[in-house]
Amino acid sequence: DQQVKQNSPSLSVQEGRISILNCDYTNSMFDYFLWYKKYPAEGPTFLISISSIKDKNEDGRFTVFLNKSAKHLSLHIVPSQPGDSAVYFCAAMRTGANNLFFGTGTRLTVIP
Amino acid sequence: DADVTQTPRNRITKTGKRIMLECSQTKGHDRMYWYRQDPGLGLRLIYYSFDVKDINKGEISDGYSVSRQAQAKFSLSLESAIPNQTALYFCATSDFFLGVGGSPYEQYFGPGTRLTVT
């Protein structure tokens, strides 16, 4: 049973606009969330994370929002750049367990 | 040089064959992981190891075994490969830290091994 879900397999956005990638989870014990980016023929690389004690974390063009009551998080990229074109994975964990549960990924295409 | 390396990068094998995928890291991390990625299913944890004497099953360990030969080396074996083990396999490492930047729970991934079982 998929505990972390990314319901949009793909997303296309014009360069300079905002990209919003969504993620839902079912396990209320998850208290830490990460986003990873993956380019073809490479492993996933860490992008940004958020603890459940926060509802927002920002790093440059990337912001992650967490809505615990809805068990939903989103990644905002502003402004989107062609180099952001990749597959984005959401991951969740219960701190102390250290096992990451990944979503199915969303392929972002930023159109120049 | 890459911090986490995987060999081979690509492998085609036949049903019933034994195969080993190898992972090496130069990050000095104690924790190592094996994942597989299938289309539409994301990454799923196969096995993980928190130190040389510690091996734990993940979500989907059936049909796989692992060996932690040293802090830097973690191997995944398929004793008798079957076609539904065709997937992209990733090794990852981590080490809990509280420092500036990044995340204390960040895992660092290798480039992956594409395995095809015919």
Side-chain angles (χ1 to χ4, degrees), chain A residues 35-111:
Chain A
W35 283 93
Y36 278 80
K37 179 168 72 173
K38 183 184 180 304
Y39 292 118
E42 296 182 11
T45 55
F46 170 76
L47 188 58
I48 193 169
S49 63
I50 188 167
S51 166
S52 62
I53 63 173
K54 295 185 175 181
D55 54 18
K56 176 183 174 181
N57 188 28
E58 190 173 354
D59 183 2
R61 296 185 298 113
F62 302 91
T63 303
V64 56
F65 296 91
L66 174 63
N67 181 333
K68 290 186 291 296
S69 61
K71 296 191 182 68
H72 177 83
L73 63 157
S74 60
L75 174 68
H76 292 209
I77 306 173
V78 184
S80 301
Q81 299 174 353
D84 296 329
S85 296
V87 177
Y88 290 78
F89 290 98
C90 168
M93 65 181 291
R94 180 171 59 88
T95 54
N98 204 52
N99 298 352
L100 285 178
F101 291 87
F102 283 84
T104 52
T106 296
R107 181 178 301 277
L108 173 67
T109 302
V110 180
I111 303 163

Side-chain angles (χ1 to χ4, degrees), chain A residues 1-3 32 34 36 38 41-46 49 87 89 93 95-105, chain B residues 9 31 33 35 37 40-43 45 48 50 57 59 88 90 94 102-112:
Chain A
D1 189 26
Q2 194 79 21
Q3 300 188 59
Y32 197 88
L34 305 90
Y36 278 80
K38 183 184 180 304
E42 296 182 11
T45 55
F46 170 76
S49 63
V87 177
F89 290 98
M93 65 181 291
T95 54
N98 204 52
N99 298 352
L100 285 178
F101 291 87
F102 283 84
T104 52
Chain B
R9 293 294 311 276
R31 303 176 179 185
Y33 311 81
Y35 292 89
Q37 182 189 1
L41 291 176
L43 282 78
L45 183 64
Y48 61 101
F50 283 1
K57 293 183 177 180
E59 294 177 73
L88 189 54
F90 289 102
S94 74
S103 161
Y105 302 102
E106 178 180 352
Q107 294 184 12
Y108 298 81
F109 285 81

Side-chain angles (χ1 to χ4, degrees), chain B residues 39-111:
Chain B
L41 291 176
L43 282 78
R44 292 179 294 166
L45 183 64
I46 306 172
Y47 270 97
Y48 61 101
S49 168
F50 283 1
D51 65 41
V52 175
K53 298 180 182 178
D54 176 78
I55 300 290
N56 303 280
K57 293 183 177 180
E59 294 177 73
I60 53 164
S61 59
D62 286 348
Y64 301 94
S65 63
V66 291
S67 173
R68 184 82 183 267
Q69 301 94 324
Q71 186 204 37
K73 295 185 182 295
F74 192 35
S75 301
L76 176 71
S77 294
L78 288 67
E79 296 300 327
S80 180
I82 55 177
N84 76 0
Q85 291 177 313
T86 293
L88 189 54
Y89 289 84
F90 289 102
C91 174
T93 74
S94 74
D95 212 4
F96 182 84
F97 83 100
L98 290 173
V100 177
S103 161
Y105 302 102
E106 178 180 352
Q107 294 184 12
Y108 298 81
F109 285 81

